[in-house]
């Protein structure tokens, strides 16, 4: 994996760090490839329950590396999009731990995550219009799904930033921290990792996919996905652990 992306495992949590602090973690092709590889690992290894995406040096990601853009480099992966993730997020939960700035493509990376923990001084925005560009890695399409449309429109057309307090009020982020956003993300990841991995994965899948289902098909489509969960070893183990007043021993099957 590229040195532009670092990984470590902490109690079943895969921590993925964009490691270009000298460039405010601006996204390059190599970094996108590193993130894509890390997401493959997250989904492939049974012992990994949750992922965290963060940035080194006090910044999450400032967007596309413009120097690379001028050289003709695209920080995208075919079929996976910007940063190796925006078009193909992992099946397992992914938390963004945001310090400093999540701007342009950096905000779009954050949008691709399922949950967000941010430092109180973090800033968010899609300033592409200020550079004659469009937030094409999901910003102008996905932002109106996550915050009110008129607020999203203002951010896209003005390129202005919002802070953590406003983002939290809008329901755009889950938690605001005084200390390390990564520590806050680890706390949230630990709560998720305590739960049944099959149930967590399928819950995420249904919440993501069901918005595109026709109303008269929703329960039938859900039944197809939850059926295997309810007859799994983990479902029996969860019930037994509750009855015996102990922590469950999940097997992921």
């Amino acid at each position: 994996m590229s040195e532009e992306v670092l990984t470590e495992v902490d109690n079943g949590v895969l921590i993925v760090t964009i490691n270009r602090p000298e460039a405010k973690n601006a996204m390059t092709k190599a970094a996108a490839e590193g993130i894509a590889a890390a997401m493959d690992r997250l989904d492939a290894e049974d012992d990994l329950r949750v992922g965290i995406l963060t940035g080194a040096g006090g910044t999450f990601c400032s967007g596309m590396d413009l120097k690379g853009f001028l050289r003709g480099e695209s920080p995208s992966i075919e079929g996976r999009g910007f940063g190796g993730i925006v078009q193909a997020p992992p099946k397992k939960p992914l938390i963004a731990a945001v310090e400093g700035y999540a701007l342009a493509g950096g905000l779009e990376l954050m949008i691709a995550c399922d949950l967000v923990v941010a430092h109180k001084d973090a800033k968010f925005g899609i300033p592409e219009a200020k550079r004659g560009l469009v937030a094409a890695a999901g910003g102008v399409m996905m932002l109106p799904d996550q915050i009110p449309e008129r607020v999203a429109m203002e951010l896209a057309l003005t390129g202005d930033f919002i802070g953590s307090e406003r983002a939290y009020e809008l329901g755009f982020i889950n938690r605001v921290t005084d200390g390390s956003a990564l520590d806050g993300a680890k706390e949230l990841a630990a709560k998720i990792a305590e739960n049944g991995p099959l149930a967590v994965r399928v819950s995420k899948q249904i919440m993501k996919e069901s918005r595109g289902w026709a109303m008269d098909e929703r329960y039938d489509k859900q039944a197809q996905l939850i059926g295997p969960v309810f007859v799994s070893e983990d479902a029996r183990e969860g019930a037994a652990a509750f009855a015996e007043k102990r922590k469950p021993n999940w097997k992921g099957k």
Side-chain angles (χ1 to χ4, degrees):
M1 185 175 294
S2 167
E3 292 184 359
E4 295 189 7
V5 174
L6 306 177
T7 59
E8 63 175 302
V9 176
D10 183 5
N11 292 321
V13 178
L14 180 65
I15 302 168
V16 182
T17 304
I18 307 167
N19 186 40
R20 304 191 70 236
E22 74 288 349
K24 301 296 183 184
N25 296 321
M27 186 56 51
T28 63
K29 183 74 167 182
E33 290 170 346
I35 292 173
M39 296 303 104
D40 285 343
R41 179 184 176 190
L42 174 62
D43 279 339
E45 297 185 16
D46 291 341
D47 290 342
L48 298 176
R49 302 290 180 82
V50 186
I52 294 175
L53 180 64
T54 192
T59 294
F60 181 70
C61 176
S62 58
M64 177 174 62
D65 185 281
L66 293 179
K67 293 180 180 178
F69 171 72
L70 292 173
R71 294 193 302 268
E73 178 183 287
S74 173
S76 298
I77 306 296
E78 184 175 357
R80 307 182 77 148
F82 180 86
I85 189 177
V86 299
Q87 291 177 228
K91 295 180 176 64
K92 295 178 184 176
L94 182 63
I95 303 170
V98 179
E99 303 272 358
Y101 292 96
L103 302 179
L107 186 76
E108 291 163 322
L109 289 179
M110 189 189 93
I111 288 174
C113 297
D114 302 300
L115 302 163
V116 182
V117 177
H119 187 270
K120 64 180 181 179
D121 295 329
K123 303 292 183 184
F124 312 88
I126 45 173
E128 279 88 345
K130 292 180 181 289
R131 303 290 181 264
L133 301 171
V134 176
V140 291
M141 291 190 295
M142 303 301 293
L143 197 55
D145 289 341
Q146 300 197 10
I147 61 176
E149 182 179 352
R150 284 188 171 82
V151 178
M153 188 72 77
E154 182 178 346
L155 291 177
L157 301 187
T158 66
D160 289 345
F161 305 162
I162 58 172
S164 287
E165 182 177 349
R166 177 65 170 148
Y168 183 77
E169 290 172 352
L170 292 167
F172 195 35
I173 61 178
N174 297 86
R175 299 184 181 186
V176 179
T177 65
D178 289 325
S180 164
L182 180 56
D183 287 345
K186 287 180 179 179
E187 291 178 7
L188 183 55
K191 288 181 175 290
I192 297 170
E194 288 178 353
N195 297 328
L198 286 178
V200 166
R201 181 178 58 77
V202 172
S203 293
K204 170 181 172 173
Q205 182 180 1
I206 292 170
M207 293 191 75
K208 292 292 187 183
E209 295 180 5
S210 61
R211 285 176 292 176
W213 296 346
M215 289 297 294
D216 61 349
E217 296 178 344
R218 285 189 168 190
Y219 278 96
D220 289 339
K221 286 183 175 293
Q222 177 180 260
Q224 294 173 16
L225 295 174
I226 66 174
V229 177
F230 277 74
V231 298
S232 68
E233 291 184 33
D234 277 358
R236 296 183 62 83
E237 169 62 11
F242 177 79
E244 297 166 11
K245 298 181 179 180
R246 59 174 175 80
K247 286 187 176 182
N249 179 25
W250 306 120
K251 295 182 179 179
K253 59 183 181 178

